Amino acid sequence: MFDQFSFSNIVENDGILITVVGYVIVFAALLFLYVFIANFQKILLFQQRKKLKDKGHRAADVDDLSISGETSAAIAMALYMEFEEAHDLESTVLTIKRVQRPYSPWSSKLYGLREYPKR
Amino acid sequence: MGGIDQFIHFTGFANMTWGHLIMLAVGLFFIFLAIKKNYEPLLLVPIGFGILLGNIPFMENVGLQIGIYEDGSVLNYLYFGVLKGIYPPLIFLGIGAMTDFSALISNPKLMLLGAAAQVGIFLTFLVALALGFTVDQSAAIGIIGGADGPTAIFLSSKLAPELLGAIAIAAYSYMALVPVIQPPIIKLLTSEEERKIKMKPPRAVTKLEKMLFPIVGLLLTTFISPGALPLLGMLFFGNLLKESGVTKRLADTASKPLIDIVTILLGLTVGASTQATTFLTSESILIFVLGAVSFMIATAGGVLFAKFMNLFLKEGDKLNPMIGAAGVSAVPDSARVVHSMGLKEDPSNYLLMHAMAPNVSGVIGSAVAAGILMGFLLKVL
């Protein structure tokens, strides 16, 4: 079956046609998607700029309105620190919460111990 | 005495052939690679164990209903999902629910790298044709270059079910061997200077863009290549579940339990389909060789196209050509390989996010290519 390499099999089965047309179509499909996404970004930026202009923001005239992932991460971290972590005032209200530890033989540690802990 | 005689004839020892031993060794090797070398363990452990399952010798065709190719056996029922192309779309659903397309949306020109890498599929298709495979078989073999196991299984189940075992094993083996196959080709085709190119960090992508992408992606690609509908439909559906933000439970199920269950069934049955008596042929060996060729051409195609694009891009916007190699799909391994190669050249050069863009684009590209080949070759009833 594979004794000899034969180009006639390619020609007889329209191999070249399938290859060229197939590859071009793959490229075309992804090119369409690329064109759409690239233009959709522009439409979004145009709308964003218009909104900023209507509100009178100076940022409307900035060339590049996009924010890099690194900048977003830095802003997110700063907000987190502001609202969750860094604080100058501690809450002075102390309460004792009752924590229930219902007993169950399934969760009892004693049943899992071979030797009782030495005190 | 007759009972003992029959029992002896039924044992694995009595039915063992050299083929079984070879395949058992292959199965053990896969398990070794997965556990010791950590090469795609989620795939290679089920496939490796499946190879062991499929190659325990037994007396065939006497109504035992044990083997994967025997009607009524448990393995045969599970294999139905492979034969009828049920598992691949379900895997794609999970992949869609796990995939973040942000990198691609933020730099959409990288989509073309995913298209360029599909050259491996079509050139290998031609080589397989010239070697005497039928046109359907050649298309199924070529798709190994897409480096996408589910797509390879889906297409071969439709066009060349007789080669399914060999194609699936080849596709998954090469996916697992990405860290071995790709680096030498990338190094051969790029200079040290090129490998050190730092790319602009991707911009933040809005939620609206992320939600629209699966819808527009589905409409654009499947109108062009309707044959890819089962794969791309599920991929984009899974992604919409993730990005819509209102179906978290469904996205979690698709991306965790569902894909895990299907991976187990798919891996195990594909492995078991390598039963020595039907699998060990000269065709299977040739398919392995062609698969490797396809994968190498695809890698080279992506890298060379990235270099070609650099000719038209201004300084600062240039691509690190190594990311072209990630266009073969094999998500996320090829992106990880590119990333680690980038770090070796320059420890401050993080290419993972950039490489993920052609990587996910490659998934779409290989599914589109499969759809096109089906459109050309599937016999209309």
Side-chain angles (χ1 to χ4, degrees), chain A residues 1-42 44-45 47-48 64-73, chain B residues 104-109 111-112 114-119 122-123 125-135 137 201-204 206 208-209 212-213 216-217 220-221 224 236 282-283 286 305 361 364-365 368-369 372-373 376-377:
Chain A
M1 183 184 181
F2 311 113
D3 291 346
Q4 49 194 14
F5 194 88
S6 159
F7 285 104
S8 61
N9 208 18
I10 296 177
V11 179
E12 283 164 19
N13 289 291
D14 294 331
I16 303 282
L17 178 81
I18 294 173
T19 299
V20 173
V21 175
Y23 195 47
V24 168
I25 297 175
V26 172
F27 243 101
L30 291 174
L31 190 70
F32 282 145
L33 209 50
Y34 157 53
V35 171
F36 174 82
I37 296 171
N39 286 302
F40 188 68
Q41 277 175 15
K42 284 181 192 159
L44 279 181
L45 275 176
Q47 265 195 332
Q48 205 177 345
D64 188 6
L65 279 177
S66 63
I67 304 170
S68 75
E70 286 167 345
T71 315
S72 301
Chain B
L104 188 61
I105 299 169
S106 75
N107 196 356
K109 64 175 170 286
M111 189 114 46
L112 299 178
Q118 307 314 318
V119 68
F122 292 100
L123 288 185
F125 163 70
L126 284 182
V127 177
L129 258 182
L131 283 172
F133 281 101
T134 68
V135 68
Q137 289 175 336
R203 72 174 174 88
T206 63
L208 179 65
E209 285 173 285
L212 271 177
F213 180 77
V216 175
L220 276 178
T221 52
I224 293 172
F236 287 127
S282 58
E283 274 185 351
L286 198 59
F305 195 77
S361 162
I364 301 172
V368 171
I372 292 163
L373 289 169
F376 268 110
L377 304 172

